[in-house]
Amino acid sequence: MGPFLKFVIFNSGRPPLPDTGQWLLLALNEKLPEAVVEILRAHIIGLHHYLMLFIMLAFSVLFESVKAPGLGLGARYMFTMAVGRLLRAITFASTILPSARPWCASSRYSIPGHPHRWAQKYYVPYASDANAIRQVIERDIAYVDTVNYTADYLPDWGSMSFLIDFLRPNTSEGSSWYSLLKKAGGGCNDLVYSGHMFVAVLTAMAWTEAYGGFSSVLIWLLVMHSAQREVRERHHYSVDCVVAIYVGILLWKMTGFIWSAKGGTGDSRLTKLGKIQGRLLQAAKDSDMDEVRELLKDVELGNQESPKQGPSKVLYSVTTQGRLRLGQCSHGTRRVLQLHVKLGCSFWLRKSMFS
């Protein structure tokens, strides 16, 4: 959104918004011990660290660090990220807020000497005059005649000429639209909400769901440290970090509802098989084929409750005990149980890798 600022020239003379979070951190710097303040200022963890944690989580099921689904956790993360980024773009494009670093635009861009014609007509005449703002509200129409500035530089960009109104190039920047885009390098207005914090929150939510415990507490402490550093270094306002935190949590919960609907039947079947394993093995030992068929039918119909242990543990328990006791069964019963265990193994492996 850096080029978009050339559309309105908003940051060249605008002070940042008052931010109580920034004031609070400055006050704490005077009250807290110097060692604590230095820890708060330290660059302990960055965006690339959160992304590395996400990659570890996405593939950790291959090393039996988390239960299945494994790559499904990564797919859920990326889907949530896409939704959050779309909402973020809609949010910061709807209203332009001044940067927390007011020198940003003038130091990075060759800003034209006059506002764009849209800003002249709809914003500039009413920006600082309370009476003019009141009349705009009453009339609900732009009523002030705008100033006729010197015409902007218009290079020949062919099919990409529609970018001229947004990028507002000048002769010193050359005639190539591609080189001008490469110089943009991000925005100088405030982008609500913080993209860095959104990534950090999604990583923390994924880690909490996969592992939990004290390690997830540590991850959330690092997220809070990143949030206060974003505010402290004036990359974002406090509201950007606060909104990113609760939006990330809510979106993760919502996509969890979507992902939980996938493969739920498979988990249920495996856990139910684990619940009746004792009866199933006893029926096999007694060569009672009717009882075996009835128990397997109950698993398929899904009439029993799911235990709390994961499907991988259930399958391991069933497989291990089955191997120990299959030698005591008749040949026909043994074939039925071996086929059922193989089907369960095949289903679990497919779900672990691709769910």
Side-chain angles (χ1 to χ4, degrees):
M1 290 300 291
F4 190 74
L5 278 178
K6 295 187 177 184
F7 183 79
V8 291
I9 318 178
F10 199 80
N11 279 275
S12 57
R14 297 288 168 180
L17 298 174
D19 188 347
T20 53
Q22 294 173 356
W23 301 343
L24 176 62
L25 290 174
L26 290 174
L28 289 176
N29 289 344
E30 301 174 356
K31 303 295 183 182
L32 295 175
E34 185 65 25
V36 176
V37 175
E38 289 301 319
I39 292 175
L40 294 177
R41 291 172 177 168
H43 290 240
I44 297 175
I45 187 170
L47 179 64
H48 59 287
H49 296 111
Y50 290 114
L51 293 175
M52 285 191 294
L53 283 176
F54 150 65
I55 294 174
M56 291 169 55
L57 284 171
F59 291 95
S60 57
V61 69
L62 301 179
F63 307 99
E64 299 183 354
S65 297
V66 296
K67 67 180 182 179
L71 297 183
L73 189 67
R76 176 181 172 187
Y77 185 100
M78 294 306 297
F79 178 79
T80 311
M81 178 72 68
V83 174
R85 286 286 179 172
L86 176 62
L87 294 177
R88 179 173 180 259
I90 295 172
T91 303
F92 69 66
S94 59
T95 301
I96 301 172
L97 300 178
S99 173
R101 296 183 169 194
W103 65 86
C104 177
S106 59
S107 63
R108 294 173 60 182
Y109 306 113
S110 299
I111 300 177
H114 57 86
H116 191 276
R117 60 178 181 271
W118 271 69
Q120 295 173 37
K121 183 173 182 180
Y122 299 112
Y123 171 73
V124 174
Y126 323 103
S128 58
D129 188 346
N131 292 324
I133 295 174
R134 183 179 296 109
Q135 291 188 48
V136 167
I137 295 173
E138 293 174 353
R139 299 185 186 187
D140 196 25
I141 190 171
Y143 64 89
V144 176
D145 293 330
T146 57
V147 179
N148 292 322
Y149 289 103
T150 305
D152 289 335
Y153 169 64
L154 300 177
D156 183 12
W157 287 353
S159 60
M160 306 303 294
S161 294
F162 69 92
L163 291 175
I164 294 175
D165 278 343
F166 297 94
L167 300 178
R168 299 192 70 192
N170 54 49
T171 54
S172 64
E173 291 170 322
S175 59
S176 172
W177 63 269
Y178 180 68
S179 61
L180 189 58
L181 277 178
K182 289 194 298 183
K183 289 175 59 179
C188 273
N189 55 311
D190 181 54
L191 304 182
V192 184
Y193 40 87
S194 171
H196 287 67
M197 286 307 304
F198 184 66
V199 172
V201 170
L202 289 189
T203 302
M205 291 297 293
W207 187 280
T208 302
E209 183 160 322
Y211 292 102
F214 292 106
S215 62
S216 63
V217 175
L218 175 61
I219 298 297
W220 279 108
L221 288 176
L222 292 174
V223 170
M224 294 299 106
H225 183 276
S226 299
Q228 62 88 30
R229 209 178 77 237
E230 288 287 312
V231 178
R232 183 184 297 274
E233 297 176 0
R234 303 298 196 272
H235 295 300
H236 283 283
Y237 294 110
S238 301
V239 65
D240 302 329
C241 298
V242 172
V243 172
I245 291 173
Y246 68 69
V247 168
I249 294 173
L250 291 176
L251 285 180
W252 183 263
K253 293 295 185 181
M254 291 176 63
T255 54
F257 172 76
I258 298 173
W259 252 257
S260 64
K262 294 177 57 180
T265 304
D267 284 347
S268 176
R269 290 176 61 186
L270 288 174
T271 52
K272 289 164 189 171
L273 179 61
K275 186 171 183 178
I276 65 167
Q277 60 179 312
R279 296 168 58 191
L280 184 63
L281 292 172
Q282 184 60 44
K285 182 178 179 181
D286 297 338
S287 300
D288 188 350
M289 293 300 297
D290 292 335
E291 180 67 14
V292 170
R293 293 191 184 96
E294 188 65 28
L295 290 172
L296 295 181
K297 182 179 178 181
D298 289 341
V299 172
E300 294 298 326
L301 293 177
N303 292 327
Q304 301 185 33
E305 297 178 357
S306 300
K308 293 184 179 180
Q309 58 180 336
S312 58
K313 296 180 180 179
V314 172
L315 185 62
Y316 174 80
S317 179
V318 172
T319 306
T320 304
Q321 294 191 30
R323 287 175 178 173
L324 293 175
R325 301 185 187 181
L326 278 176
Q328 305 175 15
C329 305
S330 65
H331 179 70
T333 307
R334 189 157 53 237
R335 289 186 62 187
V336 171
L337 290 177
Q338 286 174 341
L339 177 61
H340 195 78
V341 169
K342 286 180 180 179
L343 289 174
C345 289
S346 175
F347 173 82
W348 183 81
L349 287 174
R350 290 198 306 270
K351 185 177 186 303
S352 298
M353 293 297 295
F354 303 109
S355 294

mmCIF file of all heavy atoms in Angstrom, residues 270-279 304-307 309 314 318:
data_model
loop_
_atom_site.group_PDB
_atom_site.id
_atom_site.type_symbol
_atom_site.label_atom_id
_atom_site.label_comp_id
_atom_site.label_asym_id
_atom_site.label_seq_id
_atom_site.Cartn_x
_atom_site.Cartn_y
_atom_site.Cartn_z
ATOM 1 N N LEU A 270 -12.082 -45.916 14.486
ATOM 2 C CA LEU A 270 -10.877 -46.451 15.107
ATOM 3 C C LEU A 270 -10.995 -46.501 16.628
ATOM 4 O O LEU A 270 -10.593 -47.469 17.269
ATOM 5 C CB LEU A 270 -9.671 -45.614 14.700
ATOM 6 C CG LEU A 270 -9.215 -45.783 13.242
ATOM 7 C CD1 LEU A 270 -8.103 -44.806 12.924
ATOM 8 C CD2 LEU A 270 -8.741 -47.206 12.987
ATOM 9 N N THR A 271 -11.543 -45.448 17.225
ATOM 10 C CA THR A 271 -11.671 -45.426 18.677
ATOM 11 C C THR A 271 -12.695 -46.455 19.170
ATOM 12 O O THR A 271 -12.537 -47.049 20.239
ATOM 13 C CB THR A 271 -12.064 -44.027 19.148
ATOM 14 O OG1 THR A 271 -13.213 -43.577 18.418
ATOM 15 C CG2 THR A 271 -10.936 -43.047 18.897
ATOM 16 N N LYS A 272 -13.751 -46.645 18.394
ATOM 17 C CA LYS A 272 -14.732 -47.671 18.774
ATOM 18 C C LYS A 272 -14.146 -49.065 18.680
ATOM 19 O O LYS A 272 -14.460 -49.945 19.485
ATOM 20 C CB LYS A 272 -15.970 -47.549 17.895
ATOM 21 C CG LYS A 272 -16.808 -46.311 18.210
ATOM 22 C CD LYS A 272 -17.782 -46.005 17.123
ATOM 23 C CE LYS A 272 -18.446 -44.650 17.374
ATOM 24 N NZ LYS A 272 -19.246 -44.208 16.229
ATOM 25 N N LEU A 273 -13.294 -49.268 17.697
ATOM 26 C CA LEU A 273 -12.611 -50.551 17.583
ATOM 27 C C LEU A 273 -11.745 -50.802 18.806
ATOM 28 O O LEU A 273 -11.667 -51.928 19.321
ATOM 29 C CB LEU A 273 -11.759 -50.567 16.314
ATOM 30 C CG LEU A 273 -10.939 -51.837 16.047
ATOM 31 C CD1 LEU A 273 -11.843 -53.041 15.897
ATOM 32 C CD2 LEU A 273 -10.068 -51.663 14.811
ATOM 33 N N GLY A 274 -11.078 -49.714 19.296
ATOM 34 C CA GLY A 274 -10.269 -49.870 20.493
ATOM 35 C C GLY A 274 -11.090 -50.195 21.728
ATOM 36 O O GLY A 274 -10.651 -50.924 22.605
ATOM 37 N N LYS A 275 -12.310 -49.668 21.787
ATOM 38 C CA LYS A 275 -13.146 -49.905 22.965
ATOM 39 C C LYS A 275 -13.613 -51.347 23.071
ATOM 40 O O LYS A 275 -13.746 -51.888 24.174
ATOM 41 C CB LYS A 275 -14.342 -48.953 22.925
ATOM 42 C CG LYS A 275 -15.195 -49.015 24.185
ATOM 43 C CD LYS A 275 -16.235 -47.912 24.194
ATOM 44 C CE LYS A 275 -17.021 -47.951 25.506
ATOM 45 N NZ LYS A 275 -18.022 -46.873 25.579
ATOM 46 N N ILE A 276 -13.868 -51.974 21.940
ATOM 47 C CA ILE A 276 -14.403 -53.351 21.979
ATOM 48 C C ILE A 276 -13.317 -54.392 21.741
ATOM 49 O O ILE A 276 -13.623 -55.565 21.519
ATOM 50 C CB ILE A 276 -15.512 -53.533 20.916
ATOM 51 C CG1 ILE A 276 -14.928 -53.399 19.501
ATOM 52 C CG2 ILE A 276 -16.636 -52.549 21.134
ATOM 53 C CD1 ILE A 276 -15.880 -53.858 18.418
ATOM 54 N N GLN A 277 -12.026 -53.977 21.791
ATOM 55 C CA GLN A 277 -10.969 -54.914 21.437
ATOM 56 C C GLN A 277 -10.958 -56.145 22.345
ATOM 57 O O GLN A 277 -10.701 -57.263 21.879
ATOM 58 C CB GLN A 277 -9.623 -54.197 21.488
ATOM 59 C CG GLN A 277 -9.262 -53.616 22.844
ATOM 60 C CD GLN A 277 -7.905 -52.946 22.835
ATOM 61 O OE1 GLN A 277 -6.935 -53.510 22.353
ATOM 62 N NE2 GLN A 277 -7.836 -51.737 23.340
ATOM 63 N N GLY A 278 -11.241 -55.934 23.648
ATOM 64 C CA GLY A 278 -11.237 -57.080 24.556
ATOM 65 C C GLY A 278 -12.293 -58.103 24.178
ATOM 66 O O GLY A 278 -12.022 -59.321 24.121
ATOM 67 N N ARG A 279 -13.488 -57.657 23.940
ATOM 68 C CA ARG A 279 -14.575 -58.563 23.545
ATOM 69 C C ARG A 279 -14.305 -59.196 22.195
ATOM 70 O O ARG A 279 -14.615 -60.374 21.967
ATOM 71 C CB ARG A 279 -15.893 -57.783 23.504
ATOM 72 C CG ARG A 279 -16.337 -57.243 24.858
ATOM 73 C CD ARG A 279 -17.468 -56.240 24.712
ATOM 74 N NE ARG A 279 -18.613 -56.832 24.034
ATOM 75 C CZ ARG A 279 -19.654 -56.155 23.576
ATOM 76 N NH1 ARG A 279 -19.649 -54.818 23.689
ATOM 77 N NH2 ARG A 279 -20.652 -56.763 22.974
ATOM 78 N N GLN A 304 -21.451 -46.566 19.611
ATOM 79 C CA GLN A 304 -20.764 -46.467 20.893
ATOM 80 C C GLN A 304 -20.028 -45.150 20.986
ATOM 81 O O GLN A 304 -19.694 -44.527 19.978
ATOM 82 C CB GLN A 304 -19.766 -47.629 21.041
ATOM 83 C CG GLN A 304 -20.469 -48.995 20.953
ATOM 84 C CD GLN A 304 -19.484 -50.113 21.217
ATOM 85 O OE1 GLN A 304 -18.560 -49.931 22.000
ATOM 86 N NE2 GLN A 304 -19.701 -51.237 20.599
ATOM 87 N N GLU A 305 -19.716 -44.693 22.214
ATOM 88 C CA GLU A 305 -19.039 -43.426 22.432
ATOM 89 C C GLU A 305 -17.548 -43.562 22.136
ATOM 90 O O GLU A 305 -16.970 -44.625 22.272
ATOM 91 C CB GLU A 305 -19.225 -42.970 23.888
ATOM 92 C CG GLU A 305 -20.683 -42.712 24.252
ATOM 93 C CD GLU A 305 -20.805 -42.309 25.695
ATOM 94 O OE1 GLU A 305 -19.774 -42.305 26.381
ATOM 95 O OE2 GLU A 305 -21.924 -42.008 26.120
ATOM 96 N N SER A 306 -16.915 -42.430 21.754
ATOM 97 C CA SER A 306 -15.483 -42.417 21.445
ATOM 98 C C SER A 306 -14.687 -42.184 22.715
ATOM 99 O O SER A 306 -14.993 -41.286 23.482
ATOM 100 C CB SER A 306 -15.164 -41.310 20.431
ATOM 101 O OG SER A 306 -15.870 -41.532 19.241
ATOM 102 N N PRO A 307 -13.644 -42.988 22.986
ATOM 103 C CA PRO A 307 -12.759 -42.723 24.126
ATOM 104 C C PRO A 307 -11.856 -41.531 23.852
ATOM 105 O O PRO A 307 -11.794 -41.038 22.741
ATOM 106 C CB PRO A 307 -11.931 -44.017 24.235
ATOM 107 C CG PRO A 307 -11.923 -44.564 22.843
ATOM 108 C CD PRO A 307 -13.250 -44.186 22.239
ATOM 109 N N GLN A 309 -8.506 -41.346 24.026
ATOM 110 C CA GLN A 309 -7.195 -41.561 23.449
ATOM 111 C C GLN A 309 -7.234 -41.435 21.944
ATOM 112 O O GLN A 309 -8.253 -41.645 21.309
ATOM 113 C CB GLN A 309 -6.664 -42.940 23.850
ATOM 114 C CG GLN A 309 -7.566 -44.100 23.431
ATOM 115 C CD GLN A 309 -6.997 -45.432 23.856
ATOM 116 O OE1 GLN A 309 -5.806 -45.551 24.044
ATOM 117 N NE2 GLN A 309 -7.837 -46.423 24.007
ATOM 118 N N VAL A 314 -4.943 -46.163 19.795
ATOM 119 C CA VAL A 314 -5.934 -47.231 19.729
ATOM 120 C C VAL A 314 -5.495 -48.296 18.751
ATOM 121 O O VAL A 314 -5.518 -49.497 19.039
ATOM 122 C CB VAL A 314 -7.306 -46.666 19.304
ATOM 123 C CG1 VAL A 314 -8.296 -47.784 19.044
ATOM 124 C CG2 VAL A 314 -7.833 -45.739 20.375
ATOM 125 N N VAL A 318 -4.688 -52.224 19.557
ATOM 126 C CA VAL A 318 -5.420 -53.312 18.914
ATOM 127 C C VAL A 318 -4.471 -54.225 18.151
ATOM 128 O O VAL A 318 -4.542 -55.453 18.222
ATOM 129 C CB VAL A 318 -6.487 -52.738 17.955
ATOM 130 C CG1 VAL A 318 -7.122 -53.848 17.129
ATOM 131 C CG2 VAL A 318 -7.562 -52.023 18.756
#
